[in-house]
Amino acid sequence: MKPKFVYLYISFIVSLAIVVILSFLFYKRLNSHLKYTRQYSRSYEVMLNLKKLEEKMMELENYSRGFLLLRDSSFIPAYTESKDSVQVYLDYLHKTIQSDKDQLTRFQLMRTTINTQINIFNRNVGDVDDDDAFVKLNVQRGKRLMETFRDEIKQLERAEQKKVEELKQTKVFFEDYYPNYFNTISIWAGIITLVSFYFINREVRMRKKYQTELEKKLQELNRSNSELKQFAYIASHDLQEPVRKIVM
């Protein structure tokens, strides 16, 4: 009877399943690493541009006050350049964080504060004939708005910093979890491979033994057939001899 191959099929299926699991884990690890890199770079760029935006707003405040105090028109080109830079940073930040609803809400509040503050700065720079009381009022409003702006920008920075910390924790988790998981799966894969090799080797030997026995039986059968043919020939010859005598 031909040996069964059920255990070989089982070994093959288990080995294939392990290969699929390892491939899936590798794919997931690669995606998580790429996602971590993208999100970390994005958060870092957001925080960096928030810092630059804060610096430009401080420059606008300084140029506006300088013009108010000295009435020197040389502050106006620098003021205009800083104002344009503020708009560039606002557009970039809006594009970067628009996928995050919470951050986008904070950004919109900050943008409203900035636009209001810029309007006050523009009035300070443009209206040179305003009386001192009105100028002083605008300066006080500008201070309050700058404080509000700093609070809002800190909220954005804290939210991005929290994301970075969460990303770091996720990275630590994957670095601690996946190597052990990979090692465990790899060990089991090695064990199953060795077991499969043992069964395959045993199956090959059994098939060789089975084939050898079959060849021996075939040789014995051929030898038996040859002996039977020889016996039949002798018997036929012996039976034909009496018949010839009777005919004669």
Side-chain angles (χ1 to χ4, degrees):
M1 184 177 179
K2 189 176 180 179
K4 296 182 178 180
F5 297 92
V6 177
Y7 48 84
L8 290 180
Y9 296 147
I10 294 174
S11 299
F12 174 76
I13 292 172
V14 173
S15 300
L16 181 62
I18 290 176
V19 170
V20 171
I21 292 172
L22 288 174
S23 300
F24 172 75
L25 291 176
F26 177 78
Y27 175 77
K28 190 174 181 181
R29 175 64 188 277
L30 179 62
N31 277 350
S32 64
H33 179 72
L34 294 175
K35 182 180 178 182
Y36 168 82
T37 303
R38 288 194 300 267
Q39 292 182 346
Y40 187 86
S41 299
R42 172 193 163 281
S43 295
Y44 178 78
E45 289 178 1
V46 169
M47 289 189 290
L48 181 62
N49 281 276
L50 286 172
K51 290 291 185 184
K52 291 181 178 179
L53 176 61
E54 186 177 10
E55 291 175 359
K56 290 300 178 182
M57 286 298 296
M58 291 176 64
E59 288 180 3
L60 282 177
E61 185 180 32
N62 292 333
Y63 292 143
S64 174
R65 288 183 181 179
F67 180 80
L68 287 174
L69 293 173
L70 303 176
R71 299 297 179 178
D72 186 355
S73 60
S74 62
F75 286 102
I76 294 179
Y79 171 83
T80 303
E81 182 180 355
S82 296
K83 185 173 66 173
D84 293 339
S85 298
V86 167
Q87 190 59 47
V88 170
Y89 288 125
L90 286 175
D91 292 340
Y92 177 82
L93 287 169
H94 180 265
K95 182 180 178 181
T96 305
I97 66 176
Q98 61 182 351
S99 59
D100 189 333
K101 292 183 179 179
D102 294 335
Q103 283 291 77
L104 185 59
T105 301
R106 299 186 187 98
F107 172 78
Q108 295 292 358
L109 292 173
M110 183 189 70
R111 189 168 198 166
T112 301
T113 302
I114 289 174
N115 289 334
T116 304
Q117 179 73 310
I118 289 177
N119 288 334
I120 293 175
F121 290 157
N122 288 338
R123 183 176 297 178
N124 292 339
V125 173
D127 298 334
V128 295
D129 297 328
D130 289 338
D131 55 25
D132 292 339
F134 184 76
V135 171
K136 185 177 180 180
L137 179 63
N138 280 343
V139 170
Q140 291 175 350
R141 287 184 60 195
K143 286 182 179 180
R144 289 194 298 269
L145 286 171
M146 282 299 293
E147 291 176 358
T148 302
F149 163 73
R150 290 189 178 96
D151 291 337
E152 290 169 346
I153 206 168
K154 284 179 180 178
Q155 291 178 11
L156 286 164
E157 289 175 346
R158 281 195 296 266
E160 292 298 328
Q161 187 63 40
K162 183 179 179 181
K163 288 183 181 180
V164 170
E165 294 299 326
E166 291 175 352
L167 288 171
K168 287 181 179 179
Q169 292 177 2
T170 303
K171 181 183 178 183
V172 170
F173 170 77
F174 279 115
E175 288 178 348
D176 292 340
Y177 174 74
Y178 269 94
N180 295 331
Y181 202 71
F182 269 112
N183 292 336
T184 302
I185 296 295
S186 299
I187 290 172
W188 278 107
I191 292 173
I192 292 176
T193 301
L194 291 175
V195 172
S196 301
F197 175 77
Y198 167 76
F199 280 117
I200 291 172
N201 186 49
R202 192 181 75 168
E203 184 63 33
V204 170
R205 292 186 177 184
M206 289 176 62
R207 288 177 66 85
K208 284 185 177 180
K209 182 179 178 181
Y210 180 77
Q211 185 176 359
T212 302
E213 291 176 354
L214 187 63
E215 289 176 354
K216 287 181 179 180
K217 289 181 180 180
L218 184 61
Q219 290 176 358
E220 291 176 358
L221 182 61
N222 290 332
R223 186 166 56 252
S224 177
N225 288 336
S226 178
E227 291 176 354
L228 285 174
K229 287 180 180 180
Q230 187 176 4
F231 175 77
Y233 176 77
I234 294 173
S236 176
H237 184 272
D238 291 343
L239 289 174
Q240 289 176 2
E241 185 64 26
V243 173
R244 282 198 299 269
K245 290 180 178 181
I246 292 172
V247 173
M248 291 175 64

mmCIF file of all heavy atoms in Angstrom, residues 64-75:
data_model
loop_
_atom_site.group_PDB
_atom_site.id
_atom_site.type_symbol
_atom_site.label_atom_id
_atom_site.label_comp_id
_atom_site.label_asym_id
_atom_site.label_seq_id
_atom_site.Cartn_x
_atom_site.Cartn_y
_atom_site.Cartn_z
ATOM 1 N N SER A 64 6.724 98.145 14.144
ATOM 2 C CA SER A 64 5.590 99.038 14.337
ATOM 3 C C SER A 64 5.846 100.023 15.472
ATOM 4 O O SER A 64 5.612 101.227 15.338
ATOM 5 C CB SER A 64 4.331 98.214 14.621
ATOM 6 O OG SER A 64 3.244 99.046 14.944
ATOM 7 N N ARG A 65 6.368 99.533 16.576
ATOM 8 C CA ARG A 65 6.667 100.415 17.700
ATOM 9 C C ARG A 65 7.795 101.386 17.361
ATOM 10 O O ARG A 65 7.778 102.553 17.761
ATOM 11 C CB ARG A 65 7.036 99.586 18.926
ATOM 12 C CG ARG A 65 5.857 98.871 19.555
ATOM 13 C CD ARG A 65 6.293 98.137 20.804
ATOM 14 N NE ARG A 65 5.178 97.425 21.416
ATOM 15 C CZ ARG A 65 5.285 96.690 22.511
ATOM 16 N NH1 ARG A 65 6.479 96.557 23.112
ATOM 17 N NH2 ARG A 65 4.228 96.078 23.007
ATOM 18 N N GLY A 66 8.783 100.870 16.646
ATOM 19 C CA GLY A 66 9.889 101.734 16.254
ATOM 20 C C GLY A 66 9.425 102.888 15.392
ATOM 21 O O GLY A 66 9.874 104.028 15.546
ATOM 22 N N PHE A 67 8.501 102.589 14.478
ATOM 23 C CA PHE A 67 7.968 103.649 13.630
ATOM 24 C C PHE A 67 7.145 104.644 14.452
ATOM 25 O O PHE A 67 7.220 105.860 14.230
ATOM 26 C CB PHE A 67 7.109 103.034 12.522
ATOM 27 C CG PHE A 67 6.508 104.048 11.604
ATOM 28 C CD1 PHE A 67 7.255 104.614 10.583
ATOM 29 C CD2 PHE A 67 5.188 104.461 11.776
ATOM 30 C CE1 PHE A 67 6.698 105.559 9.740
ATOM 31 C CE2 PHE A 67 4.627 105.418 10.938
ATOM 32 C CZ PHE A 67 5.391 105.968 9.911
ATOM 33 N N LEU A 68 6.367 104.122 15.412
ATOM 34 C CA LEU A 68 5.556 105.001 16.240
ATOM 35 C C LEU A 68 6.419 105.926 17.097
ATOM 36 O O LEU A 68 6.101 107.099 17.295
ATOM 37 C CB LEU A 68 4.625 104.178 17.150
ATOM 38 C CG LEU A 68 3.428 103.492 16.482
ATOM 39 C CD1 LEU A 68 2.692 102.618 17.471
ATOM 40 C CD2 LEU A 68 2.478 104.530 15.885
ATOM 41 N N LEU A 69 7.516 105.392 17.605
ATOM 42 C CA LEU A 69 8.368 106.187 18.487
ATOM 43 C C LEU A 69 9.220 107.187 17.716
ATOM 44 O O LEU A 69 9.370 108.344 18.121
ATOM 45 C CB LEU A 69 9.261 105.269 19.320
ATOM 46 C CG LEU A 69 8.534 104.394 20.360
ATOM 47 C CD1 LEU A 69 9.511 103.407 20.985
ATOM 48 C CD2 LEU A 69 7.905 105.269 21.440
ATOM 49 N N LEU A 70 9.790 106.747 16.588
ATOM 50 C CA LEU A 70 10.764 107.574 15.873
ATOM 51 C C LEU A 70 10.203 108.231 14.613
ATOM 52 O O LEU A 70 10.838 109.155 14.079
ATOM 53 C CB LEU A 70 11.988 106.716 15.491
ATOM 54 C CG LEU A 70 12.710 106.020 16.662
ATOM 55 C CD1 LEU A 70 13.825 105.134 16.131
ATOM 56 C CD2 LEU A 70 13.254 107.056 17.644
ATOM 57 N N ARG A 71 9.058 107.744 14.144
ATOM 58 C CA ARG A 71 8.488 108.233 12.892
ATOM 59 C C ARG A 71 9.508 108.166 11.760
ATOM 60 O O ARG A 71 9.618 109.074 10.930
ATOM 61 C CB ARG A 71 7.986 109.684 13.047
ATOM 62 C CG ARG A 71 6.899 109.851 14.090
ATOM 63 C CD ARG A 71 5.640 109.081 13.719
ATOM 64 N NE ARG A 71 4.594 109.228 14.734
ATOM 65 C CZ ARG A 71 3.389 108.688 14.638
ATOM 66 N NH1 ARG A 71 3.100 107.949 13.581
ATOM 67 N NH2 ARG A 71 2.495 108.854 15.597
ATOM 68 N N ASP A 72 10.242 107.058 11.753
ATOM 69 C CA ASP A 72 11.290 106.850 10.748
ATOM 70 C C ASP A 72 10.757 105.887 9.680
ATOM 71 O O ASP A 72 10.437 104.731 9.966
ATOM 72 C CB ASP A 72 12.542 106.272 11.423
ATOM 73 C CG ASP A 72 13.717 106.172 10.466
ATOM 74 O OD1 ASP A 72 13.543 106.452 9.263
ATOM 75 O OD2 ASP A 72 14.810 105.801 10.932
ATOM 76 N N SER A 73 10.655 106.368 8.453
ATOM 77 C CA SER A 73 10.080 105.554 7.376
ATOM 78 C C SER A 73 10.976 104.381 6.969
ATOM 79 O O SER A 73 10.537 103.504 6.213
ATOM 80 C CB SER A 73 9.813 106.430 6.147
ATOM 81 O OG SER A 73 11.018 107.025 5.674
ATOM 82 N N SER A 74 12.211 104.349 7.458
ATOM 83 C CA SER A 74 13.094 103.227 7.114
ATOM 84 C C SER A 74 12.601 101.911 7.725
ATOM 85 O O SER A 74 13.031 100.829 7.310
ATOM 86 C CB SER A 74 14.520 103.518 7.590
ATOM 87 O OG SER A 74 14.564 103.654 9.003
ATOM 88 N N PHE A 75 11.703 101.990 8.705
ATOM 89 C CA PHE A 75 11.148 100.772 9.296
ATOM 90 C C PHE A 75 10.104 100.120 8.393
ATOM 91 O O PHE A 75 9.828 98.921 8.522
ATOM 92 C CB PHE A 75 10.481 101.089 10.649
ATOM 93 C CG PHE A 75 11.457 101.360 11.758
ATOM 94 C CD1 PHE A 75 11.718 102.663 12.156
ATOM 95 C CD2 PHE A 75 12.107 100.319 12.392
ATOM 96 C CE1 PHE A 75 12.606 102.911 13.178
ATOM 97 C CE2 PHE A 75 12.993 100.569 13.416
ATOM 98 C CZ PHE A 75 13.255 101.871 13.815
#
